Structure formats: C-alpha cells, structure tokens
C-alpha cells in the first residue's frame, strides 16, 4: 500500500520552554478524551545518514518493513511517498 504523508516540522527555542510550560490558556477543543498509550520501536537502516540526507529511508517497525522517499518540499514542509510493499522496497 502506498501512503502519502505530509509533515510539518517546527523548531522551538529553548529560551521559550518556561513560557510554553506555564501556559494556562484555554483549549480550542470542547472535550478531550484519553484514548490509549501506544509504544513502538523503529529500526532505521542508514549508513552515515547518506540516504536520509538525500530524502530516502528504510525502517522496520515491529515486523513490517517500510520505505519512503521525499517527493517535494523542504525541511519544514515535506511530502513523502511511503510504502510497506516489500517488492517495492
């Protein structure tokens, strides 16, 4: 199955952490419900970050192989084409 993933990353200044932690603003959501805690462990297969620096990655999550390559964008907003089809990987 091919998955289209769009990520938006953000950086945070460590000087602003106390401000974020003390924020007691109102939530824009009417109701918040705890659903569950989920843990997983990824193993990325990369040599000296060369593939990832070129927008490629291969990982194993649980028993499933996944791979992706950057389609477009920059560091902040990136589009990745991902697959878990072993024949494509």
């Amino acid at each position: 199955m091919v998955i289209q993933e769009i990520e938006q990353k953000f950086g945070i200044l460590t000087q602003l952490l106390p401000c974020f932690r003390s924020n007691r603003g109102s939530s824009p959501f009417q109701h918040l419900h705890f659903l569950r805690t989920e843990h997983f462990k990824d193993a990325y297969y990369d040599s000296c970050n060369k593939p990832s620096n070129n927008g490629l990655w291969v990982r194993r999550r649980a028993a499933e192989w996944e791979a992706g390559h950057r389609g477009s964008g920059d560091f902040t907003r990136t589009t990745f084409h991902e697959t878990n089809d072993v024949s494509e990987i």
Side-chain angles (χ1 to χ4, degrees), residues 45-58 68-70:
Y45 295 86
D46 200 343
S47 175
C48 302
N49 293 325
K50 288 181 183 179
S52 61
N53 287 342
N54 289 295
L56 302 169
W57 57 264
V58 175
H69 66 90
R70 184 175 51 240

Side-chain angles (χ1 to χ4, degrees), residues 4-23:
Q4 182 79 6
E5 179 177 305
I6 300 171
E7 296 180 356
Q8 181 163 339
K9 302 165 190 75
F10 61 93
I12 187 169
L13 298 173
T14 55
Q15 304 93 307
L16 296 177
L17 281 176
C19 178
F20 288 125
R21 289 183 176 138
S22 67
N23 184 359

Side-chain angles (χ1 to χ4, degrees), residues 14-71:
T14 55
Q15 304 93 307
L16 296 177
L17 281 176
C19 178
F20 288 125
R21 289 183 176 138
S22 67
N23 184 359
R24 301 286 183 241
S26 59
S27 172
F29 304 104
Q30 301 253 337
H31 304 284
L32 299 175
H33 300 282
F34 176 78
L35 297 176
R36 68 184 170 276
T37 299
E38 191 173 317
H39 298 273
F40 56 86
K41 185 176 181 180
D42 290 340
Y44 282 84
Y45 295 86
D46 200 343
S47 175
C48 302
N49 293 325
K50 288 181 183 179
S52 61
N53 287 342
N54 289 295
L56 302 169
W57 57 264
V58 175
R59 74 175 171 217
R60 187 168 178 101
R61 176 174 287 170
E64 189 170 286
W65 286 96
E66 299 175 337
H69 66 90
R70 184 175 51 240

